[in-house]
Amino acid sequence: MVIDQLVARLEEIRQRALAELAQITDLAALDAWRVRYLGRKGLLTGLLREMGRLSPEERPVVGRVANEVKERLEALLAERLRALAAREREERLAAEAVDVTLPGRPVLLGHAHPLRVVSLEIEEIFRGMGYEVFEGPEVELDALNFEALNIPQGHPARDMQDSFYITEEILLRTHTSPAQIRFMRQRAPGLPVRMIAPGRVYRRDDDATHSPVFHQVEGLLVDEGVSFADLKGTLLAFARQMYGEDARIRLRPSYFPFTEPSAEVDVSCTLCKGTGLAGGQPCRTCKGSGWLEILGAGMVHPVVLRNGGYDPERVSGFAFGMGVERIAMLKYGVDDLRLFFQNDLRFLTQF
Protein backbone atom coordinates (compact mmCIF):
# COMPACT_ATOMS: atom_id res chain seq x y z
CA MET A 1 0.00 0.00 0.00
CA VAL A 2 2.77 2.44 0.95
CA ILE A 3 4.81 1.62 -2.15
CA ASP A 4 1.83 2.35 -4.40
CA GLN A 5 1.31 5.72 -2.70
CA LEU A 6 4.95 6.71 -3.13
CA VAL A 7 5.01 5.72 -6.81
CA ALA A 8 1.79 7.65 -7.41
CA ARG A 9 3.22 10.73 -5.70
CA LEU A 10 6.40 10.46 -7.76
CA GLU A 11 4.32 10.47 -10.94
CA GLU A 12 2.33 13.45 -9.65
CA ILE A 13 5.53 15.36 -8.91
CA ARG A 14 6.88 14.52 -12.36
CA GLN A 15 3.78 15.74 -14.19
CA ARG A 16 3.48 18.89 -12.12
CA ALA A 17 7.19 19.70 -12.62
CA LEU A 18 6.93 19.18 -16.39
CA ALA A 19 3.84 21.41 -16.60
CA GLU A 20 5.51 24.22 -14.65
CA LEU A 21 8.76 23.87 -16.62
CA ALA A 22 6.90 24.41 -19.87
CA GLN A 23 5.69 27.83 -18.61
CA ILE A 24 9.09 29.13 -17.50
CA THR A 25 10.50 31.97 -19.63
CA ASP A 26 13.46 33.33 -17.66
CA LEU A 27 16.47 32.09 -15.72
CA ALA A 28 15.28 33.37 -12.36
CA ALA A 29 12.04 31.38 -12.57
CA LEU A 30 14.00 28.34 -13.75
CA ASP A 31 16.27 28.50 -10.71
CA ALA A 32 13.22 28.74 -8.43
CA TRP A 33 11.79 25.65 -10.17
CA ARG A 34 15.05 23.76 -9.57
CA VAL A 35 15.04 24.61 -5.86
CA ARG A 36 11.36 23.64 -5.52
CA TYR A 37 11.74 20.17 -7.08
CA LEU A 38 15.44 19.20 -6.97
CA GLY A 39 16.84 21.25 -4.12
CA ARG A 40 17.93 19.85 -0.75
CA LYS A 41 14.50 20.70 0.64
CA GLY A 42 12.65 20.13 -2.61
CA LEU A 43 9.57 17.96 -3.18
CA LEU A 44 11.48 15.09 -4.76
CA THR A 45 14.14 15.04 -2.06
CA GLY A 46 11.47 15.09 0.68
CA LEU A 47 9.64 12.17 -0.86
CA LEU A 48 12.83 10.09 -1.06
CA ARG A 49 13.31 10.53 2.67
CA GLU A 50 10.03 8.65 3.21
CA MET A 51 11.52 5.51 1.68
CA GLY A 52 12.62 4.57 5.21
CA ARG A 53 9.08 3.31 5.82
CA LEU A 54 9.47 0.70 3.04
CA SER A 55 10.64 -2.85 3.46
CA PRO A 56 14.05 -3.81 2.06
CA GLU A 57 12.33 -5.53 -0.87
CA GLU A 58 10.22 -2.46 -1.78
CA ARG A 59 12.97 0.16 -1.62
CA PRO A 60 14.70 -0.82 -4.91
CA VAL A 61 11.41 -0.56 -6.78
CA VAL A 62 10.62 2.95 -5.53
CA GLY A 63 14.29 3.95 -5.79
CA ARG A 64 14.37 3.00 -9.48
CA VAL A 65 11.25 5.05 -10.24
CA ALA A 66 12.55 8.00 -8.17
CA ASN A 67 15.91 7.97 -10.01
CA GLU A 68 14.14 7.91 -13.38
CA VAL A 69 12.05 10.93 -12.38
CA LYS A 70 15.08 12.77 -10.99
CA GLU A 71 17.24 12.09 -14.06
CA ARG A 72 14.42 13.16 -16.36
CA LEU A 73 13.89 16.43 -14.50
CA GLU A 74 17.62 17.17 -14.37
CA ALA A 75 17.98 16.55 -18.11
CA LEU A 76 15.05 18.83 -18.89
CA LEU A 77 16.49 21.43 -16.49
CA ALA A 78 19.85 21.43 -18.30
CA GLU A 79 18.16 21.65 -21.69
CA ARG A 80 15.92 24.50 -20.59
CA LEU A 81 18.86 26.30 -18.98
CA ARG A 82 20.82 26.24 -22.25
CA ALA A 83 17.84 27.48 -24.23
CA LEU A 84 17.05 30.37 -21.87
CA ALA A 85 20.70 31.39 -21.54
CA ALA A 86 21.07 31.45 -25.31
CA ARG A 87 17.93 33.54 -25.69
CA GLU A 88 18.96 36.04 -23.03
CA ARG A 89 22.40 36.35 -24.62
CA GLU A 90 20.83 37.08 -28.01
CA GLU A 91 18.50 39.69 -26.48
CA ARG A 92 21.42 41.34 -24.70
CA LEU A 93 23.52 41.43 -27.86
CA ALA A 94 20.59 42.86 -29.80
CA ALA A 95 20.11 45.59 -27.19
CA GLU A 96 23.82 46.40 -27.13
CA ALA A 97 24.30 46.29 -30.88
CA VAL A 98 26.29 49.15 -32.40
CA ASP A 99 24.89 50.76 -35.51
CA VAL A 100 28.04 51.12 -37.58
CA THR A 101 26.22 53.43 -39.98
CA LEU A 102 25.83 56.13 -37.30
CA PRO A 103 28.33 59.02 -37.47
CA GLY A 104 31.14 58.77 -34.92
CA ARG A 105 31.45 61.03 -31.91
CA PRO A 106 33.61 64.03 -32.82
CA VAL A 107 37.02 64.23 -31.16
CA LEU A 108 37.46 67.60 -29.49
CA LEU A 109 40.86 68.91 -30.49
CA GLY A 110 42.65 71.67 -28.66
CA HIS A 111 44.12 74.68 -30.37
CA ALA A 112 46.57 77.44 -29.65
CA HIS A 113 45.58 80.09 -27.10
CA PRO A 114 44.68 83.43 -28.77
CA LEU A 115 47.66 85.11 -27.13
CA ARG A 116 49.93 82.42 -28.52
CA VAL A 117 48.36 82.81 -31.95
CA VAL A 118 48.98 86.58 -31.92
CA SER A 119 52.51 86.17 -30.54
CA LEU A 120 53.41 83.71 -33.29
CA GLU A 121 51.91 86.04 -35.89
CA ILE A 122 54.04 88.93 -34.59
CA GLU A 123 57.13 86.73 -34.70
CA GLU A 124 56.36 85.63 -38.24
CA ILE A 125 55.93 89.22 -39.44
CA PHE A 126 59.28 90.32 -38.05
CA ARG A 127 61.08 87.17 -39.15
CA GLY A 128 59.99 88.16 -42.63
CA MET A 129 61.82 91.48 -42.11
CA GLY A 130 65.03 89.70 -41.11
CA TYR A 131 64.70 89.86 -37.33
CA GLU A 132 65.89 87.07 -35.04
CA VAL A 133 63.81 85.81 -32.11
CA PHE A 134 65.69 86.01 -28.80
CA GLU A 135 64.36 85.04 -25.38
CA GLY A 136 65.81 86.31 -22.13
CA PRO A 137 65.21 85.04 -18.57
CA GLU A 138 62.05 85.98 -16.69
CA VAL A 139 63.98 86.27 -13.41
CA GLU A 140 66.28 89.18 -14.17
CA LEU A 141 69.01 91.29 -12.61
CA ASP A 142 68.04 94.78 -11.50
CA ALA A 143 71.18 95.98 -13.28
CA LEU A 144 69.85 94.76 -16.65
CA ASN A 145 66.15 95.40 -16.05
CA PHE A 146 66.73 99.03 -15.05
CA GLU A 147 70.26 100.41 -14.79
CA ALA A 148 71.58 99.25 -18.18
CA LEU A 149 68.45 100.74 -19.74
CA ASN A 150 69.19 104.22 -18.38
CA ILE A 151 66.96 103.84 -15.29
CA PRO A 152 69.36 104.16 -12.32
CA GLN A 153 68.43 103.76 -8.67
CA GLY A 154 66.05 106.52 -7.58
CA HIS A 155 65.05 107.41 -11.14
CA PRO A 156 61.37 108.53 -11.31
CA ALA A 157 60.78 106.17 -14.24
CA ARG A 158 60.97 103.24 -11.83
CA ASP A 159 57.64 104.39 -10.40
CA MET A 160 56.05 103.59 -13.79
CA GLN A 161 56.78 99.88 -13.27
CA ASP A 162 55.62 98.40 -9.97
CA SER A 163 57.95 95.44 -9.58
CA PHE A 164 58.10 92.03 -7.90
CA TYR A 165 61.51 91.86 -6.20
CA ILE A 166 63.06 88.57 -5.08
CA THR A 167 66.13 90.22 -3.55
CA GLU A 168 67.42 93.78 -3.78
CA GLU A 169 69.33 92.82 -6.94
CA ILE A 170 66.97 90.24 -8.51
CA LEU A 171 63.37 90.67 -9.65
CA LEU A 172 60.76 89.34 -12.06
CA ARG A 173 61.41 91.35 -15.21
CA THR A 174 58.99 94.21 -15.78
CA HIS A 175 59.54 94.23 -19.55
CA THR A 176 61.46 92.24 -22.16
CA SER A 177 63.81 95.20 -22.77
CA PRO A 178 66.70 93.57 -20.81
CA ALA A 179 66.94 91.13 -23.71
CA GLN A 180 68.20 94.08 -25.80
CA ILE A 181 71.25 94.43 -23.58
CA ARG A 182 71.90 90.68 -23.48
CA PHE A 183 71.58 90.38 -27.27
CA MET A 184 73.81 93.40 -28.02
CA ARG A 185 76.51 92.17 -25.65
CA GLN A 186 76.50 88.81 -27.41
CA ARG A 187 76.80 90.40 -30.86
CA ALA A 188 78.94 93.48 -30.26
CA PRO A 189 80.61 94.87 -32.27
CA GLY A 190 78.88 92.97 -35.10
CA LEU A 191 76.31 94.72 -37.29
CA PRO A 192 73.50 94.82 -38.07
CA VAL A 193 71.60 93.89 -34.91
CA ARG A 194 68.00 92.87 -35.60
CA MET A 195 66.05 91.06 -32.92
CA ILE A 196 62.69 90.71 -31.24
CA ALA A 197 62.25 89.36 -27.72
CA PRO A 198 58.84 87.87 -26.89
CA GLY A 199 57.99 86.68 -23.39
CA ARG A 200 56.14 87.02 -20.09
CA VAL A 201 56.64 90.05 -17.89
CA TYR A 202 55.42 90.94 -14.39
CA ARG A 203 54.05 94.09 -12.75
CA ARG A 204 51.85 94.75 -9.74
CA ASP A 205 48.75 95.67 -11.76
CA ASP A 206 45.35 93.99 -11.89
CA ASP A 207 42.26 95.50 -13.53
CA ALA A 208 40.27 95.29 -16.77
CA THR A 209 43.18 96.58 -18.86
CA HIS A 210 46.15 95.43 -16.76
CA SER A 211 47.35 92.07 -15.45
CA PRO A 212 50.16 91.17 -13.01
CA VAL A 213 51.37 88.75 -15.68
CA PHE A 214 51.28 89.71 -19.33
CA HIS A 215 53.25 89.29 -22.56
CA GLN A 216 55.47 91.69 -24.46
CA VAL A 217 57.41 91.67 -27.69
CA GLU A 218 60.46 93.93 -27.69
CA GLY A 219 62.14 94.87 -30.96
CA LEU A 220 65.60 96.28 -31.65
CA LEU A 221 67.55 97.30 -34.73
CA VAL A 222 71.07 98.74 -34.55
CA ASP A 223 73.23 99.64 -37.55
CA GLU A 224 75.02 102.53 -39.15
CA GLY A 225 72.73 105.30 -40.36
CA VAL A 226 69.48 104.06 -38.83
CA SER A 227 66.91 106.88 -38.69
CA PHE A 228 63.51 107.62 -37.22
CA ALA A 229 62.08 107.19 -40.72
CA ASP A 230 63.28 103.56 -40.67
CA LEU A 231 61.39 103.06 -37.42
CA LYS A 232 58.19 104.51 -38.82
CA GLY A 233 58.44 102.43 -42.01
CA THR A 234 59.02 99.24 -40.02
CA LEU A 235 56.03 99.85 -37.75
CA LEU A 236 53.78 100.78 -40.68
CA ALA A 237 54.72 97.53 -42.42
CA PHE A 238 53.94 95.63 -39.21
CA ALA A 239 50.55 97.33 -38.75
CA ARG A 240 49.48 96.59 -42.31
CA GLN A 241 50.40 92.92 -42.02
CA MET A 242 48.66 92.61 -38.64
CA TYR A 243 45.53 94.71 -39.26
CA GLY A 244 45.20 94.92 -43.05
CA GLU A 245 46.66 96.87 -45.93
CA ASP A 246 44.45 99.90 -45.25
CA ALA A 247 45.86 100.33 -41.72
CA ARG A 248 47.52 103.66 -40.92
CA ILE A 249 49.73 104.68 -38.01
CA ARG A 250 50.57 107.91 -36.26
CA LEU A 251 53.37 108.71 -33.82
CA ARG A 252 52.85 110.99 -30.83
CA PRO A 253 55.74 112.41 -28.77
CA SER A 254 56.25 110.54 -25.51
CA TYR A 255 58.94 109.68 -22.97
CA PHE A 256 60.82 106.45 -22.29
CA PRO A 257 64.15 106.52 -20.46
CA PHE A 258 65.78 104.05 -22.87
CA THR A 259 64.86 105.87 -26.11
CA GLU A 260 65.30 109.46 -27.29
CA PRO A 261 63.29 110.73 -29.06
CA SER A 262 60.36 108.53 -28.03
CA ALA A 263 56.85 108.08 -29.35
CA GLU A 264 53.54 106.39 -28.65
CA VAL A 265 52.34 104.61 -31.77
CA ASP A 266 48.64 104.50 -32.69
CA VAL A 267 46.97 102.47 -35.42
CA SER A 268 43.79 103.44 -37.24
CA CYS A 269 40.78 101.92 -35.45
CA THR A 270 40.05 98.40 -36.61
CA LEU A 271 36.28 98.88 -36.19
CA CYS A 272 35.57 102.28 -37.75
CA LYS A 273 38.62 102.21 -40.09
CA GLY A 274 39.87 105.48 -38.69
CA THR A 275 36.71 107.51 -39.31
CA GLY A 276 35.72 107.77 -35.64
CA LEU A 277 32.15 106.76 -36.54
CA ALA A 278 30.46 103.36 -36.42
CA GLY A 279 26.82 103.08 -37.44
CA GLY A 280 26.48 106.85 -37.50
CA GLN A 281 27.56 107.09 -33.84
CA PRO A 282 30.95 107.79 -32.25
CA CYS A 283 32.95 104.57 -32.37
CA ARG A 284 32.94 102.83 -28.96
CA THR A 285 36.27 101.13 -29.60
CA CYS A 286 38.32 104.27 -30.25
CA LYS A 287 35.87 106.67 -28.51
CA GLY A 288 35.43 108.60 -31.73
CA SER A 289 39.12 109.44 -32.20
CA GLY A 290 39.72 107.00 -35.06
CA TRP A 291 42.98 105.83 -33.43
CA LEU A 292 44.06 103.07 -31.04
CA GLU A 293 47.35 102.99 -29.12
CA ILE A 294 49.31 99.80 -29.78
CA LEU A 295 52.94 100.29 -28.71
CA GLY A 296 55.78 102.56 -27.64
CA ALA A 297 58.94 103.17 -29.63
CA GLY A 298 61.89 105.47 -30.20
CA MET A 299 65.53 105.81 -31.12
CA VAL A 300 67.81 103.86 -28.78
CA HIS A 301 69.34 106.12 -26.14
CA PRO A 302 73.13 106.54 -26.45
CA VAL A 303 73.55 105.25 -22.86
CA VAL A 304 71.74 102.01 -23.78
CA LEU A 305 73.88 101.57 -26.91
CA ARG A 306 77.02 102.06 -24.87
CA ASN A 307 75.84 99.59 -22.19
CA GLY A 308 75.22 97.09 -24.96
CA GLY A 309 78.77 97.40 -26.26
CA TYR A 310 78.24 99.78 -29.19
CA ASP A 311 79.63 103.24 -29.89
CA PRO A 312 76.70 105.71 -30.20
CA GLU A 313 78.97 108.01 -32.23
CA ARG A 314 79.26 105.34 -34.96
CA VAL A 315 75.91 103.51 -34.88
CA SER A 316 72.29 104.29 -34.12
CA GLY A 317 69.18 102.20 -33.68
CA PHE A 318 65.54 102.08 -32.84
CA ALA A 319 63.52 100.00 -30.40
CA PHE A 320 59.86 99.30 -29.87
CA GLY A 321 57.79 97.35 -27.38
CA MET A 322 54.25 96.10 -27.61
CA GLY A 323 51.92 94.20 -25.30
CA VAL A 324 50.66 91.02 -26.95
CA GLU A 325 47.40 91.29 -24.99
CA ARG A 326 46.86 94.81 -26.32
CA ILE A 327 47.47 93.70 -29.89
CA ALA A 328 45.10 90.74 -29.41
CA MET A 329 42.39 92.88 -27.78
CA LEU A 330 42.39 95.23 -30.77
CA LYS A 331 42.62 92.42 -33.30
CA TYR A 332 39.71 90.43 -31.82
CA GLY A 333 37.63 93.21 -30.24
CA VAL A 334 38.09 91.99 -26.64
CA ASP A 335 37.30 94.62 -24.00
CA ASP A 336 38.63 92.91 -20.85
CA LEU A 337 42.22 91.69 -20.73
CA ARG A 338 41.45 89.27 -17.88
CA LEU A 339 39.40 87.07 -20.23
CA PHE A 340 42.66 85.80 -21.71
CA PHE A 341 43.69 84.29 -18.36
CA GLN A 342 40.42 82.85 -17.00
CA ASN A 343 40.49 79.62 -19.05
CA ASP A 344 36.79 79.98 -19.88
CA LEU A 345 36.09 77.66 -22.81
CA ARG A 346 33.13 79.80 -23.85
CA PHE A 347 35.66 82.53 -24.61
CA LEU A 348 38.62 80.48 -25.83
CA THR A 349 36.65 78.36 -28.32
CA GLN A 350 35.78 81.50 -30.29
CA PHE A 351 39.31 81.68 -31.65
Side-chain angles (χ1 to χ4, degrees), residues 335-350:
D335 60 4
D336 191 335
L337 179 146
R338 292 171 293 190
L339 290 170
F340 290 119
F341 302 102
Q342 292 173 348
N343 293 327
D344 188 333
L345 290 179
R346 295 171 299 178
F347 172 75
L348 295 177
T349 52
Q350 298 178 50

Side-chain angles (χ1 to χ4, degrees), residues 246-258:
D246 59 345
R248 294 173 291 118
I249 64 170
R250 72 175 183 182
L251 284 74
R252 294 177 287 106
S254 186
Y255 168 75
F256 302 109
F258 30 79

Side-chain angles (χ1 to χ4, degrees), residues 64-283:
R64 184 178 65 255
V65 175
N67 285 335
E68 289 176 355
V69 173
K70 182 178 180 182
E71 290 173 0
R72 176 61 175 164
L73 295 183
E74 288 177 344
L76 292 173
L77 171 65
E79 180 182 337
R80 192 66 169 173
L81 179 62
R82 285 192 297 271
L84 290 177
R87 191 182 73 181
E88 288 197 4
R89 182 170 59 254
E90 290 175 0
E91 291 175 351
R92 185 173 65 254
L93 290 175
E96 297 174 355
V98 176
D99 186 351
V100 296
T101 65
L102 290 174
R105 294 184 177 90
V107 178
L108 297 178
L109 299 178
H111 58 81
H113 190 280
L115 293 181
R116 182 60 176 160
V117 172
V118 171
S119 182
L120 289 174
E121 187 174 354
I122 294 171
E123 291 180 24
E124 189 64 23
I125 291 172
F126 283 102
R127 283 182 192 273
M129 299 183 193
Y131 286 71
E132 296 182 51
V133 176
F134 178 79
E135 295 186 3
E138 295 180 19
V139 179
E140 188 57 275
L141 297 172
D142 180 277
L144 294 181
N145 192 81
F146 289 124
E147 294 185 26
L149 295 170
N150 198 33
I151 314 176
Q153 289 286 348
H155 195 289
R158 291 203 180 204
D159 295 337
M160 299 164 59
Q161 302 181 24
D162 291 333
S163 311
F164 292 104
Y165 274 89
I166 298 172
T167 69
E168 290 186 0
E169 298 179 352
I170 300 174
L171 74 161
L172 298 180
R173 65 182 179 187
T174 60
H175 45 193
T176 54
S177 301
Q180 293 183 18
I181 301 297
R182 291 180 177 273
F183 192 81
M184 284 193 288
R185 288 179 178 178
Q186 288 182 12
R187 297 301 176 90
L191 293 172
V193 173
R194 283 193 295 262
M195 59 82 73
I196 59 170
R200 279 189 296 266
V201 298
Y202 305 85
R203 297 182 190 177
R204 291 189 296 177
D205 290 323
D206 189 15
D207 56 44
T209 58
H210 298 86
S211 168
V213 181
F214 58 103
H215 301 77
Q216 275 191 346
V217 176
E218 190 83 15
L220 172 70
L221 186 145
V222 177
D223 203 352
E224 295 178 355
V226 176
S227 69
F228 204 90
D230 296 318
L231 169 61
K232 182 176 180 180
T234 298
L235 296 180
L236 178 60
F238 164 74
R240 287 179 173 173
Q241 291 189 61
M242 176 61 69
Y243 296 111
E245 286 298 321
D246 59 345
R248 294 173 291 118
I249 64 170
R250 72 175 183 182
L251 284 74
R252 294 177 287 106
S254 186
Y255 168 75
F256 302 109
F258 30 79
T259 54
E260 180 60 37
S262 303
E264 297 283 358
V265 182
D266 302 335
V267 67
S268 52
C269 179
T270 54
L271 180 63
C272 68
K273 306 302 180 184
T275 65
L277 296 174
Q281 300 294 325
C283 177

